[in-house]
Amino acid sequence: MLLLSLESSCDETAAAVVKDGRTILSSVVASQIAVHAEYGGVVPEIASRQHLEAVSLVVEQALDKAGVAPSQLEGIAVTQGPGLAGALLVGISAAKGLSLGLGVPLVGVNHIEGHLLAVFLEQPVEFPFIALAVSGGHSHLYRVDGVGRYTTLGQTVDDAAGEAFDKVAKLIGLPYPGGVAIDRLAAEGDPKAIKFPRPLLHDGTFNFSFSGLKTAVLTHLQKHPEARGAGLNDLAASFQEAVCEVLTKKTAAAVAATGIKRLVVAGGVACNSGLRRSMRLFADKNGVELSIAKPALCADNAAMIAVPGDFYLQHGITSGFDLDALPVWPLDRLAARLGEVR
Ligand code: KG4
Ligand code: ZN
């Protein structure tokens, strides 16, 4: 199937043309980061307006780059949630218009499901697998038994990993979004310089907690104001090491507990070089098949939405024009839509 997919859940307006849920013909991402950076984070009202301005252009560009005429499209997939309600509605409205105008089916897709399956655009992964989704809003461990079949093993009890990166970056005066900037600073620092806590590491669950780690960074800065100077590299490296160690060890525990030796790491934080390194080390040592997509597919994009989108449309699972934004949409609830596909 030749699909057009749309993504507008947060601060990226994105469209892609994807064949059979596997081959990217085009993937266009218009980032609003520069606009939100001024405010130190995403401003929902501004995000909606920016999506409105960008969405038609992004769709046109995606079709142009793919060399595909609208009449050739066989379906539309759009992010339905989770995310900012106003932002989601822009993509959803555009998708409904296209679906109605072109007379092709429409399906609403879960953004996190898109992240988990993005790697299929590079190579298929056999089910079942363990998946770690780490982004600005999520730090979740899942058991994945098939498209649409997700069981939550654990999740953050407070901040998401990306949120922690962004908040710590703000504390040390780096611009939003801070994950990439911390990653860059950390490359020049000593990860063992400061011993930050490893929250919930030995609590026997697969849950995470990152807000205490952020407070530990703040306390350290108050006690050692000199750390803001030349010591910033060491602070960034030590913080990143703490986050990566917890993420990797909890994931390792999930792999051990389930005996499933296939692992996918997904979401914006999966771009982090420290996390990619520690996951690779763990996987190689333990004979685990690790799949992490290239950074452009880990960060928000529309191509990833086409992967589950194609599966659902192929199985006759479509959304009506009453499709509404779902700002909160746990993955476990997706199984219900599979019905007879089961
Ligand atoms: O998946 P994503 O693009 O958007 C959401 O769905 O949230 O993830 C964005 C998050 C932000 O918090 C950003 O700081 C973080 O991913 N991020 C990183 C890196 N690149 C993006 N965090 C750490 N290291 C990176 N290299
Ligand atoms: Zn995302």
Side-chain angles (χ1 to χ4, degrees):
M1 264 185 128
L2 194 58
L3 290 197
L4 176 78
S5 50
L6 287 166
E7 152 65 36
S8 69
S9 65
C10 190
D11 57 352
E12 257 98 33
T13 322
V17 178
V18 177
K19 195 167 164 35
D20 299 331
R22 292 292 180 274
T23 312
I24 302 174
L25 302 189
S26 67
S27 178
V28 177
V29 181
S31 175
Q32 308 174 3
I33 281 174
V35 186
H36 297 292
E38 236 181 278
Y39 304 91
V42 177
V43 184
E45 276 299 312
I46 296 178
S48 311
R49 261 180 274 153
Q50 292 280 320
H51 283 306
L52 264 179
E53 278 180 27
V55 70
S56 306
L57 199 65
V58 161
V59 167
E60 261 175 49
Q61 281 181 359
L63 289 169
D64 256 20
K65 282 195 179 170
V68 164
S71 59
Q72 290 174 271
L73 293 173
E74 295 168 287
I76 311 286
V78 64
T79 303
Q80 187 177 358
L84 303 168
L88 288 163
L89 283 172
V90 177
I92 290 172
S93 306
K96 284 182 186 173
L98 285 160
S99 162
L100 189 66
L102 299 170
V104 295
L106 168 71
V107 67
V109 169
N110 185 298
H111 178 83
I112 299 301
E113 181 173 35
H115 273 307
L116 296 187
L117 302 179
V119 72
F120 283 68
L121 295 160
E122 291 182 340
Q123 89 265 340
V125 183
E126 225 180 279
F127 298 107
F129 58 80
I130 298 299
L132 174 72
V134 267
S135 68
H138 282 74
S139 295
H140 281 56
L141 265 168
Y142 298 103
R143 178 195 162 110
V144 183
D145 285 290
V147 179
R149 298 189 176 104
Y150 311 94
T151 310
T152 304
L153 302 175
Q155 58 188 289
T156 181
V157 297
D158 41 54
D159 292 351
E163 202 178 346
F165 268 98
D166 296 341
K167 286 179 175 172
V168 166
K170 205 170 179 176
L171 281 180
I172 57 178
L174 298 171
Y176 174 85
V180 191
I182 290 197
D183 198 353
R184 254 186 243 130
L185 273 184
E188 310 292 325
D190 174 9
K192 307 231 174 317
I194 308 160
K195 189 72 188 156
F196 286 126
R198 269 53 173 166
L200 303 190
L201 191 53
H202 303 294
D203 73 337
T205 73
F206 302 118
N207 291 335
F208 304 102
S209 166
F210 294 110
S211 74
L213 192 48
K214 173 197 66 197
T215 310
V217 172
L218 179 63
T219 310
H220 181 84
L221 282 170
Q222 284 164 346
K223 281 193 194 151
H224 307 275
E226 74 283 0
R228 285 191 183 273
L232 223 44
N233 291 345
D234 285 348
L235 186 139
S238 303
F239 163 74
Q240 181 170 295
E241 176 84 353
V243 175
C244 294
E245 187 181 326
V246 175
L247 289 173
T248 307
K249 287 195 171 158
K250 287 268 174 166
T251 305
V255 167
T258 56
I260 297 171
K261 292 204 141 197
R262 272 181 300 273
L263 171 64
V264 168
V265 181
V269 182
C271 297
N272 185 268
S273 50
L275 186 61
R276 295 174 88 92
R277 213 168 27 241
S278 66
M279 286 291 182
R280 173 57 57 203
L281 214 62
F282 153 69
D284 288 351
K285 256 193 193 165
N286 294 280
V288 171
E289 185 190 315
L290 170 67
S291 306
I292 313 183
K294 64 180 178 188
L297 288 176
C298 288
D300 284 353
N301 67 89
M304 69 183 194
I305 300 304
V307 182
D310 188 273
F311 174 89
Y312 291 127
L313 290 176
Q314 293 281 4
H315 288 85
I317 297 165
T318 59
S319 303
F321 289 115
D322 58 349
L323 169 71
D324 202 359
L326 292 174
V328 178
W329 188 9
L331 273 189
D332 302 61
R333 289 199 202 139
L334 273 174
R337 84 186 325 191
L338 289 172
E340 68 284 1
V341 178
R342 211 162 252 288

